[in-house]
Protein backbone atom coordinates (compact mmCIF):
# COMPACT_ATOMS: atom_id res chain seq x y z
CA UNK A 1 0.00 0.00 0.00
CA UNK A 2 1.32 3.46 -0.88
CA UNK A 3 1.89 6.13 1.79
CA UNK A 4 0.29 9.50 0.99
CA UNK A 5 1.06 11.13 4.35
CA UNK A 6 3.34 14.15 4.82
CA UNK A 7 4.55 16.24 7.76
CA UNK A 8 3.75 19.94 7.52
CA UNK A 9 5.60 21.96 10.18
CA UNK A 10 5.28 19.19 12.75
CA UNK A 11 1.69 18.18 12.03
CA UNK A 12 1.05 14.95 10.14
CA UNK A 13 -1.37 15.16 7.19
CA UNK A 14 -2.97 11.97 5.85
CA UNK A 15 -2.36 13.40 2.38
CA UNK A 16 -0.87 16.65 1.04
CA UNK A 17 -4.06 18.04 -0.55
CA UNK A 18 -5.30 21.35 0.93
CA UNK A 19 -8.11 23.46 -0.55
CA UNK A 20 -6.72 26.99 -0.87
CA UNK A 21 -8.06 29.98 1.02
CA UNK A 22 -10.93 31.78 -0.67
CA UNK A 23 -12.04 28.72 -2.62
CA UNK A 24 -13.45 26.65 0.27
CA UNK A 25 -15.22 29.15 2.53
CA UNK A 26 -15.12 28.10 6.17
CA UNK A 27 -15.59 24.45 5.20
CA UNK A 28 -19.25 23.77 5.91
CA UNK A 29 -20.38 24.65 2.36
CA UNK A 30 -18.37 21.66 1.12
CA UNK A 31 -19.18 19.42 4.10
CA UNK A 32 -22.68 19.22 2.67
CA UNK A 33 -21.18 17.55 -0.42
CA UNK A 34 -18.65 15.12 1.08
CA UNK A 35 -16.78 14.24 4.29
CA UNK A 36 -14.11 16.92 4.35
CA UNK A 37 -12.11 14.93 6.92
CA UNK A 38 -10.60 13.16 3.91
CA UNK A 39 -8.62 16.36 3.14
CA UNK A 40 -5.07 16.86 4.41
CA UNK A 41 -6.51 20.04 5.88
CA UNK A 42 -7.90 23.25 4.32
CA UNK A 43 -7.07 26.93 4.49
CA UNK A 44 -10.11 28.95 5.46
CA UNK A 45 -11.33 32.22 3.96
CA UNK A 46 -8.89 35.08 4.40
CA UNK A 47 -9.70 36.72 7.73
CA UNK A 48 -8.92 40.27 8.86
CA UNK A 49 -9.15 42.03 12.21
CA UNK A 50 -12.23 44.03 11.14
CA UNK A 51 -15.16 42.78 9.01
CA UNK A 52 -14.79 43.65 5.31
CA UNK A 53 -17.48 44.09 2.70
CA UNK A 54 -15.00 43.50 -0.13
CA UNK A 55 -14.62 45.16 -3.52
CA UNK A 56 -17.38 46.46 -5.80
CA UNK A 57 -18.84 44.05 -8.37
CA UNK A 58 -18.17 42.63 -10.93
CA UNK A 59 -15.36 40.84 -9.13
CA UNK A 60 -14.86 37.91 -11.50
CA UNK A 61 -13.74 37.68 -15.14
CA UNK A 62 -13.46 34.41 -17.02
CA UNK A 63 -10.30 33.64 -19.00
CA UNK A 64 -8.92 30.78 -21.06
CA UNK A 65 -7.86 28.06 -18.60
CA UNK A 66 -8.44 30.29 -15.60
CA UNK A 67 -10.21 33.25 -14.05
CA UNK A 68 -9.52 36.66 -12.57
CA UNK A 69 -10.92 37.60 -9.14
CA UNK A 70 -10.95 40.83 -7.19
CA UNK A 71 -12.89 39.90 -4.06
CA UNK A 72 -11.05 42.28 -1.74
CA UNK A 73 -10.80 40.08 1.34
CA UNK A 74 -14.53 40.04 2.09
CA UNK A 75 -14.98 38.38 5.50
CA UNK A 76 -16.92 38.78 8.76
CA UNK A 77 -13.86 39.77 10.84
CA UNK A 78 -11.78 37.67 13.19
CA UNK A 79 -14.05 37.85 16.24
CA UNK A 80 -17.05 36.50 14.33
CA UNK A 81 -14.88 33.83 12.71
CA UNK A 82 -13.81 32.72 16.19
CA UNK A 83 -17.26 32.91 17.79
CA UNK A 84 -19.35 31.52 14.90
CA UNK A 85 -17.41 29.93 12.02
CA UNK A 86 -14.86 27.87 13.96
CA UNK A 87 -17.36 26.34 16.45
CA UNK A 88 -19.55 25.38 13.48
CA UNK A 89 -16.53 23.88 11.68
CA UNK A 90 -15.50 21.84 14.73
CA UNK A 91 -18.85 20.03 14.61
CA UNK A 92 -17.82 18.21 11.43
CA UNK A 93 -14.05 18.68 10.99
CA UNK A 94 -11.86 16.71 13.38
CA UNK A 95 -8.48 17.84 12.03
CA UNK A 96 -6.45 20.99 12.46
CA UNK A 97 -7.36 23.76 10.04
CA UNK A 98 -5.09 26.37 8.45
CA UNK A 99 -6.11 29.92 9.43
CA UNK A 100 -5.53 32.43 6.61
CA UNK A 101 -4.81 35.93 7.91
CA UNK A 102 -4.97 39.17 5.90
CA UNK A 103 -4.00 42.64 7.05
CA UNK A 104 -3.36 46.31 6.36
CA UNK A 105 -0.64 47.00 8.93
CA UNK A 106 1.99 44.98 10.74
CA UNK A 107 0.08 45.43 14.02
CA UNK A 108 -3.13 44.18 12.44
CA UNK A 109 -1.48 41.03 11.09
CA UNK A 110 0.01 40.30 14.53
CA UNK A 111 -3.23 40.94 16.45
CA UNK A 112 -5.43 38.91 14.09
CA UNK A 113 -2.92 36.02 14.07
CA UNK A 114 -2.65 36.12 17.84
CA UNK A 115 -6.43 35.77 18.30
CA UNK A 116 -6.59 32.82 15.89
CA UNK A 117 -3.51 31.22 17.47
CA UNK A 118 -5.54 30.68 20.66
CA UNK A 119 -8.18 28.56 18.86
CA UNK A 120 -7.78 24.85 19.44
CA UNK A 121 -8.86 23.86 15.92
CA UNK A 122 -6.22 26.08 14.28
CA UNK A 123 -3.04 24.16 13.40
CA UNK A 124 -1.14 26.67 11.26
CA UNK A 125 -1.35 30.40 10.56
CA UNK A 126 -1.05 31.19 6.87
CA UNK A 127 -0.18 34.88 6.64
CA UNK A 128 -1.33 36.36 3.36
CA UNK A 129 1.09 39.12 2.35
CA UNK A 130 0.13 38.68 -1.29
CA UNK A 131 -3.49 39.74 -1.90
CA UNK A 132 -3.35 41.83 -5.10
CA UNK A 133 -6.85 43.26 -4.66
CA UNK A 134 -6.58 45.69 -1.74
CA UNK A 135 -4.83 49.02 -1.34
CA UNK A 136 -2.33 49.73 1.41
CA UNK A 137 -2.05 46.15 2.61
CA UNK A 138 -1.86 42.61 1.26
CA UNK A 139 0.58 42.45 -1.62
CA UNK A 140 2.38 45.65 -0.65
CA UNK A 141 3.95 43.66 2.22
CA UNK A 142 4.80 40.74 -0.05
CA UNK A 143 6.71 42.58 -2.74
CA UNK A 144 9.56 43.80 -0.54
CA UNK A 145 11.91 41.49 1.37
CA UNK A 146 12.14 44.09 4.16
CA UNK A 147 8.37 44.42 4.62
CA UNK A 148 7.87 40.65 4.37
CA UNK A 149 10.52 40.17 7.05
CA UNK A 150 8.87 42.77 9.30
CA UNK A 151 5.44 41.09 9.11
CA UNK A 152 7.01 37.69 9.78
CA UNK A 153 8.91 38.99 12.81
CA UNK A 154 5.82 40.62 14.32
CA UNK A 155 3.58 37.60 13.76
CA UNK A 156 6.15 35.14 15.08
CA UNK A 157 6.42 37.21 18.25
CA UNK A 158 2.62 37.16 18.69
CA UNK A 159 1.88 33.44 18.19
CA UNK A 160 2.97 29.93 19.19
CA UNK A 161 1.69 27.89 16.26
CA UNK A 162 3.57 27.37 12.97
CA UNK A 163 3.57 30.43 10.69
CA UNK A 164 3.40 29.93 6.92
CA UNK A 165 3.83 33.09 4.86
CA UNK A 166 1.81 33.18 1.62
CA UNK A 167 3.91 34.79 -1.12
CA UNK A 168 3.13 36.86 -4.20
CA UNK A 169 4.33 35.89 -7.68
CA UNK A 170 4.19 39.55 -8.73
CA UNK A 171 7.87 40.08 -7.90
CA UNK A 172 11.21 39.74 -9.65
CA UNK A 173 12.79 37.36 -7.13
CA UNK A 174 10.33 35.33 -5.05
CA UNK A 175 13.19 33.31 -3.52
CA UNK A 176 14.62 36.49 -1.97
CA UNK A 177 11.26 37.21 -0.29
CA UNK A 178 11.03 33.61 0.95
CA UNK A 179 14.56 33.82 2.37
CA UNK A 180 13.71 37.08 4.16
CA UNK A 181 10.72 35.36 5.82
CA UNK A 182 12.82 32.32 6.74
CA UNK A 183 15.39 34.66 8.28
CA UNK A 184 12.74 35.98 10.69
CA UNK A 185 11.63 32.53 11.76
CA UNK A 186 8.83 31.64 9.32
CA UNK A 187 8.03 27.93 9.69
CA UNK A 188 7.02 27.60 6.05
CA UNK A 189 6.03 29.50 2.93
CA UNK A 190 3.12 28.95 0.57
CA UNK A 191 3.15 30.04 -3.06
CA UNK A 192 1.98 31.30 -5.42
CA UNK A 193 -0.93 33.65 -4.84
CA UNK A 194 -2.56 34.99 -8.01
CA UNK A 195 -0.87 36.85 -10.87
CA UNK A 196 -2.09 40.37 -11.59
CA UNK A 197 -4.30 40.33 -14.68
CA UNK A 198 -6.99 42.25 -16.55
CA UNK A 199 -9.81 41.70 -19.09
CA UNK A 200 -11.70 44.29 -21.15
CA UNK A 201 -15.33 43.96 -22.29
CA UNK A 202 -15.39 44.63 -26.03
CA UNK A 203 -19.00 45.90 -25.88
CA UNK A 204 -18.43 48.52 -23.18
CA UNK A 205 -14.71 48.95 -24.02
CA UNK A 206 -14.13 49.06 -20.24
CA UNK A 207 -12.45 46.65 -17.79
CA UNK A 208 -14.75 43.74 -16.84
CA UNK A 209 -13.65 43.91 -13.19
CA UNK A 210 -14.95 46.95 -11.29
CA UNK A 211 -11.55 47.33 -9.65
CA UNK A 212 -10.03 47.28 -13.21
CA UNK A 213 -7.61 44.41 -12.48
CA UNK A 214 -7.45 41.35 -10.28
CA UNK A 215 -5.65 38.10 -9.54
CA UNK A 216 -5.39 35.47 -12.28
CA UNK A 217 -5.54 31.80 -11.22
CA UNK A 218 -6.39 28.44 -12.74
CA UNK A 219 -4.70 25.74 -14.76
CA UNK A 220 -2.91 28.27 -17.03
CA UNK A 221 -0.62 29.35 -14.17
CA UNK A 222 0.57 25.85 -13.19
CA UNK A 223 3.97 25.97 -14.98
CA UNK A 224 4.73 29.40 -13.49
CA UNK A 225 3.79 28.23 -10.00
CA UNK A 226 5.86 25.06 -10.42
CA UNK A 227 8.93 27.08 -11.46
CA UNK A 228 8.55 29.44 -8.49
CA UNK A 229 8.06 26.56 -6.04
CA UNK A 230 11.28 25.05 -7.35
CA UNK A 231 13.13 28.40 -7.08
CA UNK A 232 12.00 28.80 -3.47
CA UNK A 233 12.66 25.14 -2.56
CA UNK A 234 16.24 25.59 -3.78
CA UNK A 235 16.69 28.73 -1.65
CA UNK A 236 15.20 27.82 1.77
CA UNK A 237 15.19 24.95 4.26
CA UNK A 238 11.64 25.44 5.59
CA UNK A 239 8.68 23.56 4.03
CA UNK A 240 7.14 24.98 0.86
CA UNK A 241 3.41 24.64 0.18
CA UNK A 242 2.82 24.64 -3.60
CA UNK A 243 -0.19 26.52 -4.99
CA UNK A 244 -1.23 27.48 -8.50
CA UNK A 245 -3.30 25.77 -11.16
CA UNK A 246 -3.31 22.35 -9.49
CA UNK A 247 -6.20 20.27 -10.83
CA UNK A 248 -5.13 16.61 -10.78
CA UNK A 249 -3.19 13.98 -8.82
CA UNK A 250 -0.47 14.26 -11.47
CA UNK A 251 -0.18 18.00 -10.77
CA UNK A 252 0.17 17.27 -7.02
CA UNK A 253 3.02 14.84 -7.68
CA UNK A 254 4.72 17.30 -10.04
CA UNK A 255 4.49 20.07 -7.41
CA UNK A 256 6.04 17.76 -4.82
CA UNK A 257 8.87 16.78 -7.16
CA UNK A 258 9.51 20.52 -7.58
CA UNK A 259 9.83 20.86 -3.81
CA UNK A 260 6.37 21.19 -2.26
CA UNK A 261 5.71 19.41 1.05
CA UNK A 262 1.97 19.95 0.62
CA UNK A 263 -0.18 21.31 -2.21
CA UNK A 264 -3.08 23.75 -2.16
CA UNK A 265 -5.85 23.47 -4.74
CA UNK A 266 -7.62 26.75 -5.55
CA UNK A 267 -9.54 27.64 -8.71
CA UNK A 268 -10.29 23.96 -9.44
CA UNK A 269 -12.70 23.94 -6.45
CA UNK A 270 -14.74 26.70 -8.10
CA UNK A 271 -15.08 24.75 -11.33
CA UNK A 272 -15.65 21.32 -9.72
CA UNK A 273 -16.65 21.24 -6.03
CA UNK A 274 -15.45 17.63 -5.81
CA UNK A 275 -11.99 18.52 -7.22
CA UNK A 276 -10.07 17.82 -3.99
CA UNK A 277 -12.01 14.62 -3.27
CA UNK A 278 -11.30 13.40 -6.81
CA UNK A 279 -7.60 14.26 -6.54
CA UNK A 280 -7.21 12.51 -3.17
CA UNK A 281 -9.01 9.40 -4.44
CA UNK A 282 -6.81 9.34 -7.56
CA UNK A 283 -3.51 9.76 -5.68
CA UNK A 284 -2.79 6.09 -4.71
CA UNK A 285 -3.31 4.73 -8.25
CA UNK A 286 -1.36 7.61 -9.78
CA UNK A 287 1.50 6.94 -7.34
CA UNK A 288 1.51 3.27 -8.32
CA UNK A 289 1.55 4.21 -12.00
CA UNK A 290 4.76 6.21 -11.46
CA UNK A 291 6.37 3.74 -9.01
CA UNK A 292 6.06 6.04 -6.00
CA UNK A 293 5.67 4.29 -2.62
CA UNK A 294 5.77 7.30 -0.33
CA UNK A 295 4.89 10.92 -1.19
CA UNK A 296 7.12 12.38 1.50
CA UNK A 297 10.11 10.71 -0.17
CA UNK A 298 9.63 12.53 -3.48
CA UNK A 299 9.71 16.11 -2.13
CA UNK A 300 12.22 18.06 -4.21
CA UNK A 301 13.06 14.92 -6.20
CA UNK A 302 13.46 16.89 -9.41
CA UNK A 303 16.55 18.54 -7.89
CA UNK A 304 18.34 15.29 -7.07
C1 LIG B 1 -9.29 38.54 -2.48
O1 LIG B 1 -9.98 38.47 -1.45
O2 LIG B 1 -9.29 39.53 -3.19
C2 LIG B 1 -8.42 37.37 -2.87
C3 LIG B 1 -7.45 37.03 -1.83
C4 LIG B 1 -6.06 36.93 -2.33
O3 LIG B 1 -5.83 36.85 -3.54
O4 LIG B 1 -5.14 36.91 -1.51
Amino acid sequence: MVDTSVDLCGIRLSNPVIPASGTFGYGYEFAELYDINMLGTFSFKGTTLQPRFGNPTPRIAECTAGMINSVGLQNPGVDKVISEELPRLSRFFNKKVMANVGGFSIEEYAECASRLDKCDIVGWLEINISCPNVHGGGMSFGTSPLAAAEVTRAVKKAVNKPVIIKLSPNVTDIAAIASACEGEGADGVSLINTLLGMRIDLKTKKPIIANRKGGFSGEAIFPIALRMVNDVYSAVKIPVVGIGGVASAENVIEMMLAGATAVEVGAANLVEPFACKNIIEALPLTMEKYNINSLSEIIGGANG
Side-chain angles (χ1 to χ4, degrees):
M1 214 170 83
V2 295
D3 181 2
T4 58
S5 69
V6 294
D7 182 291
L8 182 59
C9 306
I11 302 176
R12 200 82 195 153
L13 306 183
S14 54
N15 66 71
V17 179
I18 304 174
S21 177
T23 67
F24 213 74
Y26 290 97
Y28 53 86
E29 302 88 338
F30 286 79
E32 287 173 13
L33 303 176
Y34 65 92
D35 180 4
I36 63 170
N37 288 294
M38 75 183 300
L39 301 167
T41 179
F42 74 96
S43 181
F44 65 60
K45 175 92 195 80
T47 297
T48 52
L49 198 54
Q50 304 300 334
R52 285 183 55 79
F53 186 73
N55 288 341
T57 57
R59 297 170 168 179
I60 301 287
E62 289 188 28
C63 309
T64 306
M67 59 174 279
I68 295 176
N69 90 82
S70 180
V71 173
L73 296 176
Q74 177 182 348
N75 78 98
V78 69
D79 289 339
K80 215 163 193 174
V81 169
I82 291 172
S83 64
E84 292 180 17
E85 304 292 352
L86 297 188
R88 173 151 48 171
L89 175 63
S90 64
R91 291 208 290 271
F92 49 81
F93 192 56
N94 54 33
K95 294 183 165 180
K96 297 290 183 191
V97 72
M98 192 177 284
N100 186 285
V101 178
F104 293 83
S105 69
I106 306 252
E107 297 71 30
E108 193 183 330
Y109 275 112
E111 180 58 32
C112 190
S114 147
R115 290 189 199 179
L116 288 164
D117 186 59
K118 296 181 180 68
C119 302
D120 205 35
I121 196 170
V122 169
W124 312 255
L125 295 143
E126 183 178 52
I127 309 299
N128 181 4
I129 57 167
S130 46
C131 175
N133 301 326
V134 292
H135 296 291
M139 197 176 91
S140 59
F141 290 102
T143 48
S144 137
L146 273 182
E150 247 187 290
V151 176
T152 308
R153 190 181 321 131
V155 171
K156 276 298 288 181
K157 224 191 259 177
V159 306
N160 294 310
K161 290 179 176 163
V163 171
I164 296 174
I165 309 286
K166 186 167 181 178
L167 303 180
S168 172
N170 301 301
V171 295
T172 312
D173 185 358
I174 195 167
I177 313 262
S179 298
C181 298
E182 181 182 42
E184 292 297 338
D187 301 281
V189 283
S190 58
L191 60 132
I192 56 176
N193 204 324
T194 53
L195 290 143
L196 266 178
M198 184 177 182
R199 293 301 308 270
I200 292 171
D201 183 333
L202 294 187
K203 290 198 200 90
T204 63
K205 321 268 188 299
K206 296 282 181 282
I208 292 174
I209 300 237
N211 212 23
R212 298 188 69 80
K213 50 196 178 180
F216 179 47
S217 62
E219 289 189 54
I221 74 166
F222 180 72
I224 301 169
L226 193 78
R227 189 271 297 171
M228 290 193 168
V229 163
N230 191 240
D231 283 353
V232 169
Y233 174 76
S234 304
V236 301
K237 295 202 163 50
I238 52 179
V240 178
V241 179
I243 319 169
V246 175
S248 66
E250 283 82 355
N251 291 163
V252 169
I253 291 173
E254 212 175 324
M255 269 290 184
M256 295 186 76
L257 288 167
T261 293
V263 178
E264 293 189 20
V265 178
N269 296 313
L270 307 177
V271 180
E272 164 57 89
F274 293 96
C276 286
K277 179 177 189 286
N278 294 342
I279 291 171
I280 291 164
E281 286 172 349
L283 261 178
L285 268 186
T286 313
M287 289 168 67
E288 277 172 24
K289 180 174 171 193
Y290 294 102
N291 297 316
I292 297 165
N293 292 320
S294 159
L295 278 186
S296 57
E297 282 169 15
I298 68 163
I299 297 166
N303 280 14

